[in-house]
Amino acid sequence: MSETAPARKGKRKFELDPRLAGYKGVWVFIEHERGRVHPVSWELLGEGRKLADMLGVALSGVVLGEPGATTRNFCEEAFYHGADRCYLIEDDILKDYRNEPFTKGMTDLVNAHQPEILLLGATTQGRDLAGSVATTLQTGLTADCTGLTIDPDNRSLAATRPTFGGSLLCTIVTLNYRPQMATVRPRVMAMPARDESRRGAIVEHPLNMVEANIITKVLEYIPDAMQDKPQLPFADIIVSGGRGMKKPENFQLIWDLAQVLGAEVGASRPVVQAGWADLERQVGQSGKTVRPKLYIAAGISGAIQHRVGMEASDCIVAINNDPNAPIFDFATFGIVGNAMHILPALTETFRQQLATTKIAS
Amino acid sequence: MSEKFDAIVVGAGPSGNTAAYTLAKSGLNVLQLERGETPGTKNVQGAILYSDALERIIPDFRDDAPLERHLIEQRMWVLDDESFVGSHYRSEGFNQPPYNRYTIIRAAFDKWFSEKVRQAGALVICETTVTDLLRDDKNRVVGVQVDREGGSIYADVVILADGVNSLLAKKAGFHAELDPTHVGLAVKEMHFLPEETIEQRFNVGEDEGVVIELFGKVTQGMMGTGFLYTNKESLSIGVGCMLSDFKTQKISPYALLENMKNHPSIKPLLADGEMKEYTAHLIPEGGYKAIPRIAGDGWMIVGDAGMFVNAVHREGSNLAMTTGRLAAETVVALMQESKPMTEANLAAYRNRLDDSFVMKDLKKYKEMPEIFHRNNQFFTTYPELINRSAHTMLKVDGVDKKTKEREIFSSFTHKRSLFGLMGDAYKLWRAFR
Amino acid sequence: MHIVVCIKQVPDSAQIRVHPVTNTIMRQGVPAIINPYDLFALEEALRLKDKFGGTITVITMGPPQAEAALRKALSFGADDAILVTDRAFAGADTLATSCALASVIRQIQNNMPVDMVFTGKQTIDGDTAQVGPGVAKRLGLQLLSYVSRIAAVDVEQREIVVQRRAEGGVQVLKTALPCLVTMLEGTNEMRFATMPNMFRAARHPLKVWDKDAAGIEDMTKIGLKGSPTVVSKVFAPTPKSARAEIIAVESGEPKDMAVTLLAKMFTRFPQIEKQLTQQA
Ligand SMILES: Cc1cc2nc3c(=O)[nH]c(=O)nc-3n(C[C@H](O)[C@H](O)[C@H](O)COP(=O)(O)OP(=O)(O)OC[C@H]3O[C@@H](n4cnc5c(N)ncnc54)[C@H](O)[C@@H]3O)c2cc1C
Ligand SMILES: Cc1cc2nc3c(=O)[nH]c(=O)nc-3n(C[C@H](O)[C@H](O)[C@H](O)COP(=O)(O)OP(=O)(O)OC[C@H]3O[C@@H](n4cnc5c(N)ncnc54)[C@H](O)[C@@H]3O)c2cc1C
Ligand SMILES: Nc1ncnc2c1ncn2[C@@H]1O[C@H](COP(=O)(O)O)[C@@H](O)[C@H]1O
């Protein structure tokens, strides 16, 4: 008994409700924490730029934060990354992220300025906010998208995301509701070039809330100990191991190569589940999305759930003893052989190569 | 406070389900315990369902049971390394409802069956393993212990339907350790294919199915057989041999199945399929002589746990259902007469079994396991000879047929002396008598 | 303390297969399980009950088979269970789901005030992490999402302190009850059900609510009608056209393969060589 996926059939032709026709423009929520903007916001501006250009509308950033130069500077940075405009709410209440005031600020802005598309990062902050905002505005929200485009037929946002445990993709549209909201994971979209010559307009708005009326308080913020947290999503080189490494001891070969390359270590899910590597190192659909310059995958079959997390890498080197392993279908270079022999050889070769360049330079 | 029931049934395979169903239908307070997450999750079978045994308790089972295909054709292939000689029996008679045999997928079937048991009024609890039997000071079984906190549960009678290799029966001393020459080890895979592909490949219509029995070199000299069944949109393929043979020959069951799948006559049937489940399971094949004690004070054994399998005809689930029903009927009769569940009273179960096809069939083949076991020529030499003969006869190469016949005869006597051939014929006759 | 836990029955996505020819999902034999993330929510609720006493009501919206998920939750120690099932709910997206669940919780409130609502971080089939925040918003509950630890609960003062996973750190939040918590994975381990609880779960008279019992008045807000998002297309990922260039050397020696790979790689991707040299 197979059944067709529950796609509500076909492209439903529809006329946009005239009351919604006034919704124009693409917005990106500029997420920040402790004075740092989350890079996903810039990635979204890059993607938002394309959408805005397709629609022939403006691209705007939305910045909510405490009053001061730091917050204003976020607006400038948004212009450098492609925004034409920034909607800004400055208020002491917005010092830390909290659901209630951020939801109010964001929904007020949307109601006042009526964007047709609103994009947020699929981070703990972005998802927390997106869910509340979509519910308040009673509009559709597509989570965790991997692709965004505009349907030329009706100017609506077509958001593509994995479904059924990643075995399939689906494209979702939001019918007669505005804005059309979507969240996108970090590193799924490319980082746009930063252009300091770009300028834009800042549109300010009040928050209209009093701290005494806000129930939830932030008592403390405990930063992660960065040193020992792998920074996979932003690594330039990643050496990853899969179940084909056979034994936890063999995983040392991955670390050895990573050390020579100054690379981060990644892993496939079975390896993480077996406890050979911690969760932070899992690459793939239920792990991190990465896009390094070089991704070396040893003993990884290349299942779709792993692939979606790393296929945006510039160069993928696959080491696998099965010439038919699916990873060879999309890797850049393949070595068919036993990872336990290939990895040490690679480590040694890189070591020598780097030693010579060092002497030469 | 501990709970007390009229009867506890351990296991939710066909034997346990039939027993629990029959007991509950008669109004008894029944608890059924199953260690699997849902009934059927861990159960393995070919699987062919024989209607008769089920029909006796649920006459209208065809209305909603998850049945795959009804069988209209039986193929028997004797294979050597590159060819097979086969017979096919196909009958429109098998295509008339009510159908006699169906392929099923146990996971779905057992779940359905369990729902019927629940509806009949039994309390069914899964994910709970019975770890021991509770006894009173006279050593009578009075209940079970399960692997959960607060897990002592009492009953007048405990029916062990926990399948082959019943740990409980062993622990309680009702069974000896399984004798490896009495159990088969079967491995099985499911290969998924679109419905239409299966129907084209096997030349059948919608809901119609085919069974292929595989015999010969596919078991690499070990005592056993292979099978290939058509489900609705998958094929079940498997091979089973005696556990003792696997041990002595040092062949891995997985390699055996891989090898069989690559046989040139089998491979095209599986082409483009997507392999899903790989499972392995034991089959009690000791036959009549291996049946242990099957009842005592406060306990009974049904199904595979009691070695009730007819290996020759690949019947198991129907014997399981029949023994489950007969055990339950014995209990119901005693309860109605307010008689205690003593060894003497429960002996009526054995009598019911003796009167049924279960014991009659098992008795008929009681020599079979030993004969095949001591004579592996049935699995190696003969299949080769038969295939070579067919090849010789069918190949057109200018040699006259008379000479070919002589060649075939001499190849037989060369491999097995004339005396050996006659002996083998006698043995076969005895085994099947 | 009265806690409502929202759980969803989902197909075990690890076992879902896609039909090789028709590209449709084959659900046959795929077991249905409680959304694994929801178990963290349920266990956390059970721990609060262990500490402060009270009642746990589990609810699920889904097909009649979802009964199994509720019974399982009962066996772990939940006190009551409500199966919300009606054809009218079919085809719901997250907005419509949160509308239905919020309405159900309001009905529950009418009998016994609710102090906390728990949901999982996200489901493994929908994977959106939106239903929790949506329910909170509709019920006007304080939202505590991605909670990694419940640090303190003051039942008298009706206050709660939690640790919430944020980007790059942990927020310690204090808020007032009633609130909604979406629980992060890996924060606890589900207990093993006792035999008396197994018996209770098997015998518990489950409440089955249709849309009327759930208090739904506006039919345009639930099910397909109440769902702004529409799946327009389902498709298999397209394979990248170019297959890997296989590094083959005559000697077959790993060492030679490595040398060849480096040469080829640095020619095609000079930026990688540059990166490495800079690092060195
Ligand atoms: C909902 C869901 C989410 C998932 N999320 C993720 C995720 O985020 N990340 C993820 O990675 N997976 C994820 N998976 C699991 C994914 O489907 C695969 O099971 C997993 O990626 C396989 O890991 P692997 O390649 O390490 O192991 P395998 O598939 O077992 O592959 C091992 C490979 O090693 C090769 N090999 C064996 N020995 C050697 C040797 N000596 N030398 C070289 N090669 C060798 C084999 O040929 C094989 O190709 C998810 C699955 C589901 C259902
Ligand atoms: C590969 C293969 C092919 C077969 N093909 C066929 C066929 O085509 N037709 C046919 O009729 N027969 C066939 N059989 C035989 C048939 O499967 C068995 O005879 C039948 O399943 C026996 O039923 P049962 O109820 O006795 O045992 P089982 O089906 O094994 O059920 C035992 C149940 O008890 C549970 N259990 C075990 N221990 C405990 C415990 N301690 N506590 C709680 N629960 C416990 C198990 O989880 C299981 O659910 C085949 C067998 C195999 C292995
Ligand atoms: N149909 C449902 N019934 C009950 N709870 C649900 C349902 N769908 C989602 N939830 C809850 O909402 C959480 C987030 O789901 P989702 O937004 O689909 O990722 C889940 O972990 C559940 O706790």
Side-chain angles (χ1 to χ4, degrees), chain B residues 288-319:
Chain B
Y288 186 78
K289 292 181 174 174
I291 297 173
R293 246 176 93 205
I294 52 170
D297 285 325
W299 62 270
M300 307 166 97
I301 295 183
V302 297
D304 276 7
M307 300 293 240
F308 296 111
V309 164
N310 180 341
V312 180
H313 288 262
R314 284 188 188 284
E315 292 176 28
S317 63
N318 56 332
L319 278 74

Short mmCIF file of all heavy atoms in Angstrom, two decimals, chain B residues 288-319:
data_model
loop_
_atom_site.label_atom_id
_atom_site.label_comp_id
_atom_site.label_asym_id
_atom_site.label_seq_id
_atom_site.Cartn_x
_atom_site.Cartn_y
_atom_site.Cartn_z
N TYR B 288 8.22 -34.68 15.65
CA TYR B 288 7.51 -35.41 16.69
C TYR B 288 8.40 -35.77 17.87
O TYR B 288 8.04 -35.60 19.02
CB TYR B 288 6.90 -36.67 16.08
CG TYR B 288 6.02 -37.42 17.03
CD1 TYR B 288 4.73 -36.97 17.30
CD2 TYR B 288 6.46 -38.58 17.67
CE1 TYR B 288 3.90 -37.64 18.17
CE2 TYR B 288 5.64 -39.27 18.54
CZ TYR B 288 4.37 -38.80 18.79
OH TYR B 288 3.56 -39.47 19.66
N LYS B 289 9.60 -36.27 17.52
CA LYS B 289 10.46 -36.78 18.60
C LYS B 289 10.97 -35.69 19.52
O LYS B 289 11.48 -35.98 20.60
CB LYS B 289 11.65 -37.52 17.99
CG LYS B 289 11.23 -38.80 17.29
CD LYS B 289 12.43 -39.52 16.72
CE LYS B 289 12.02 -40.88 16.16
NZ LYS B 289 13.13 -41.53 15.47
N ALA B 290 10.91 -34.44 19.06
CA ALA B 290 11.48 -33.36 19.86
C ALA B 290 10.45 -32.69 20.77
O ALA B 290 10.80 -31.80 21.54
CB ALA B 290 12.11 -32.32 18.94
N ILE B 291 9.20 -33.09 20.66
CA ILE B 291 8.17 -32.42 21.46
C ILE B 291 8.41 -32.67 22.95
O ILE B 291 8.54 -33.81 23.37
CB ILE B 291 6.75 -32.90 21.06
CG1 ILE B 291 6.49 -32.51 19.60
CG2 ILE B 291 5.68 -32.31 21.98
CD1 ILE B 291 5.20 -33.08 19.05
N PRO B 292 8.48 -31.59 23.73
CA PRO B 292 8.75 -31.75 25.16
C PRO B 292 7.46 -32.03 25.92
O PRO B 292 6.40 -32.21 25.32
CB PRO B 292 9.29 -30.38 25.55
CG PRO B 292 8.54 -29.43 24.65
CD PRO B 292 8.32 -30.18 23.36
N ARG B 293 7.55 -32.04 27.23
CA ARG B 293 6.35 -32.10 28.06
C ARG B 293 5.54 -30.85 27.77
O ARG B 293 6.11 -29.76 27.70
CB ARG B 293 6.78 -32.04 29.52
CG ARG B 293 6.50 -33.29 30.32
CD ARG B 293 7.08 -33.10 31.71
NE ARG B 293 6.08 -32.57 32.62
CZ ARG B 293 6.38 -31.87 33.72
NH1 ARG B 293 7.64 -31.59 34.01
NH2 ARG B 293 5.42 -31.45 34.52
N ILE B 294 4.24 -30.97 27.61
CA ILE B 294 3.51 -29.79 27.17
C ILE B 294 2.49 -29.26 28.17
O ILE B 294 1.81 -28.29 27.89
CB ILE B 294 2.81 -30.04 25.81
CG1 ILE B 294 1.97 -31.31 25.88
CG2 ILE B 294 3.84 -30.13 24.70
CD1 ILE B 294 1.09 -31.48 24.67
N ALA B 295 2.40 -29.90 29.32
CA ALA B 295 1.52 -29.35 30.36
C ALA B 295 1.93 -29.91 31.71
O ALA B 295 2.53 -30.97 31.81
CB ALA B 295 0.06 -29.70 30.08
N GLY B 296 1.65 -29.13 32.75
CA GLY B 296 1.93 -29.55 34.12
C GLY B 296 1.03 -28.78 35.05
O GLY B 296 0.09 -28.12 34.60
N ASP B 297 1.37 -28.76 36.33
CA ASP B 297 0.51 -28.06 37.29
C ASP B 297 0.51 -26.56 37.04
O ASP B 297 1.50 -25.88 37.30
CB ASP B 297 1.00 -28.33 38.73
CG ASP B 297 0.62 -29.74 39.18
OD1 ASP B 297 -0.47 -30.20 38.77
OD2 ASP B 297 1.41 -30.37 39.91
N GLY B 298 -0.58 -26.09 36.49
CA GLY B 298 -0.72 -24.65 36.29
C GLY B 298 -0.08 -24.10 35.04
O GLY B 298 -0.02 -22.89 34.86
N TRP B 299 0.42 -24.95 34.17
CA TRP B 299 1.05 -24.43 32.94
C TRP B 299 0.81 -25.32 31.73
O TRP B 299 0.59 -26.52 31.86
CB TRP B 299 2.55 -24.20 33.13
CG TRP B 299 3.33 -25.47 33.45
CD1 TRP B 299 3.57 -25.98 34.69
CD2 TRP B 299 3.94 -26.37 32.51
NE1 TRP B 299 4.30 -27.14 34.59
CE2 TRP B 299 4.56 -27.40 33.26
CE3 TRP B 299 4.05 -26.40 31.12
CZ2 TRP B 299 5.26 -28.45 32.67
CZ3 TRP B 299 4.76 -27.46 30.53
CH2 TRP B 299 5.35 -28.47 31.31
N MET B 300 0.87 -24.71 30.54
CA MET B 300 0.76 -25.42 29.27
C MET B 300 1.69 -24.76 28.26
O MET B 300 2.02 -23.58 28.41
CB MET B 300 -0.67 -25.34 28.72
CG MET B 300 -1.72 -25.77 29.70
SD MET B 300 -3.34 -25.28 29.13
CE MET B 300 -3.85 -26.80 28.37
N ILE B 301 2.08 -25.52 27.26
CA ILE B 301 2.94 -24.96 26.21
C ILE B 301 2.24 -25.11 24.86
O ILE B 301 1.69 -26.18 24.55
CB ILE B 301 4.31 -25.68 26.14
CG1 ILE B 301 5.08 -25.43 27.43
CG2 ILE B 301 5.11 -25.22 24.94
CD1 ILE B 301 6.48 -26.02 27.44
N VAL B 302 2.26 -24.06 24.06
CA VAL B 302 1.64 -24.12 22.73
C VAL B 302 2.60 -23.57 21.68
O VAL B 302 3.56 -22.88 22.01
CB VAL B 302 0.32 -23.30 22.70
CG1 VAL B 302 -0.71 -23.88 23.67
CG2 VAL B 302 0.58 -21.84 23.03
N GLY B 303 2.32 -23.89 20.41
CA GLY B 303 3.06 -23.30 19.29
C GLY B 303 4.52 -23.73 19.22
O GLY B 303 4.89 -24.81 19.65
N ASP B 304 5.34 -22.84 18.68
CA ASP B 304 6.76 -23.13 18.49
C ASP B 304 7.45 -23.53 19.80
O ASP B 304 8.40 -24.29 19.80
CB ASP B 304 7.48 -21.90 17.92
CG ASP B 304 7.35 -21.82 16.40
OD1 ASP B 304 6.59 -22.63 15.83
OD2 ASP B 304 8.02 -20.96 15.80
N ALA B 305 6.98 -22.97 20.90
CA ALA B 305 7.60 -23.29 22.19
C ALA B 305 7.51 -24.79 22.46
O ALA B 305 8.36 -25.35 23.14
CB ALA B 305 6.91 -22.49 23.30
N GLY B 306 6.48 -25.43 21.90
CA GLY B 306 6.32 -26.87 22.07
C GLY B 306 6.84 -27.65 20.88
O GLY B 306 6.54 -28.83 20.73
N MET B 307 7.59 -26.99 20.01
CA MET B 307 8.19 -27.61 18.82
C MET B 307 7.13 -28.08 17.81
O MET B 307 7.38 -28.99 17.03
CB MET B 307 9.07 -28.82 19.21
CG MET B 307 10.21 -28.47 20.12
SD MET B 307 11.41 -27.44 19.27
CE MET B 307 12.87 -28.45 19.38
N PHE B 308 5.97 -27.45 17.83
CA PHE B 308 4.92 -27.88 16.90
C PHE B 308 5.09 -27.25 15.52
O PHE B 308 4.43 -26.25 15.20
CB PHE B 308 3.53 -27.52 17.48
CG PHE B 308 3.21 -28.25 18.75
CD1 PHE B 308 3.14 -27.57 19.95
CD2 PHE B 308 2.98 -29.62 18.73
CE1 PHE B 308 2.83 -28.25 21.12
CE2 PHE B 308 2.68 -30.29 19.90
CZ PHE B 308 2.61 -29.62 21.10
N VAL B 309 6.00 -27.81 14.74
CA VAL B 309 6.20 -27.32 13.38
C VAL B 309 6.35 -28.52 12.45
O VAL B 309 7.03 -29.48 12.78
CB VAL B 309 7.44 -26.40 13.28
CG1 VAL B 309 7.87 -26.21 11.84
CG2 VAL B 309 7.16 -25.05 13.92
N ASN B 310 5.68 -28.42 11.32
CA ASN B 310 5.82 -29.45 10.30
C ASN B 310 6.77 -28.91 9.25
O ASN B 310 6.38 -28.20 8.33
CB ASN B 310 4.43 -29.74 9.70
CG ASN B 310 4.50 -30.81 8.63
OD1 ASN B 310 5.57 -31.11 8.09
ND2 ASN B 310 3.35 -31.40 8.31
N ALA B 311 8.04 -29.25 9.42
CA ALA B 311 9.08 -28.66 8.58
C ALA B 311 8.95 -29.08 7.12
O ALA B 311 9.28 -28.34 6.21
CB ALA B 311 10.45 -29.03 9.12
N VAL B 312 8.44 -30.28 6.90
CA VAL B 312 8.35 -30.80 5.54
C VAL B 312 7.41 -29.94 4.71
O VAL B 312 7.70 -29.58 3.58
CB VAL B 312 7.85 -32.26 5.55
CG1 VAL B 312 7.76 -32.79 4.13
CG2 VAL B 312 8.77 -33.10 6.40
N HIS B 313 6.29 -29.60 5.29
CA HIS B 313 5.30 -28.83 4.55
C HIS B 313 5.34 -27.35 4.88
O HIS B 313 4.44 -26.62 4.48
CB HIS B 313 3.90 -29.39 4.80
CG HIS B 313 3.68 -30.70 4.12
ND1 HIS B 313 3.04 -30.80 2.91
CD2 HIS B 313 4.07 -31.94 4.46
CE1 HIS B 313 3.02 -32.08 2.54
NE2 HIS B 313 3.64 -32.80 3.47
N ARG B 314 6.36 -26.93 5.61
CA ARG B 314 6.48 -25.52 5.99
C ARG B 314 5.23 -25.04 6.69
O ARG B 314 4.74 -23.95 6.43
CB ARG B 314 6.66 -24.64 4.75
CG ARG B 314 8.00 -24.70 4.20
CD ARG B 314 8.10 -23.65 3.11
NE ARG B 314 9.35 -23.81 2.43
CZ ARG B 314 10.50 -23.42 2.95
NH1 ARG B 314 10.55 -22.84 4.11
NH2 ARG B 314 11.61 -23.61 2.28
N GLU B 315 4.70 -25.87 7.54
CA GLU B 315 3.55 -25.42 8.31
C GLU B 315 4.02 -25.14 9.73
O GLU B 315 4.76 -25.92 10.29
CB GLU B 315 2.46 -26.49 8.32
CG GLU B 315 1.83 -26.69 6.95
CD GLU B 315 0.81 -27.83 6.95
OE1 GLU B 315 0.20 -28.08 8.01
OE2 GLU B 315 0.63 -28.45 5.89
N GLY B 316 3.61 -24.05 10.28
CA GLY B 316 3.99 -23.71 11.64
C GLY B 316 2.89 -22.90 12.29
O GLY B 316 2.35 -23.26 13.33
N SER B 317 2.53 -21.82 11.61
CA SER B 317 1.54 -20.92 12.21
C SER B 317 0.20 -21.63 12.40
O SER B 317 -0.51 -21.36 13.36
CB SER B 317 1.36 -19.68 11.34
OG SER B 317 0.86 -20.04 10.08
N ASN B 318 -0.12 -22.54 11.50
CA ASN B 318 -1.40 -23.24 11.66
C ASN B 318 -1.35 -24.24 12.81
O ASN B 318 -2.32 -24.42 13.53
CB ASN B 318 -1.83 -23.92 10.35
CG ASN B 318 -0.79 -24.86 9.82
OD1 ASN B 318 0.41 -24.67 10.07
ND2 ASN B 318 -1.20 -25.88 9.10
N LEU B 319 -0.18 -24.84 13.01
CA LEU B 319 -0.06 -25.72 14.17
C LEU B 319 -0.08 -24.89 15.44
O LEU B 319 -0.66 -25.28 16.46
CB LEU B 319 1.24 -26.53 14.09
CG LEU B 319 1.19 -27.79 13.19
CD1 LEU B 319 1.19 -27.41 11.73
CD2 LEU B 319 2.33 -28.72 13.51
#
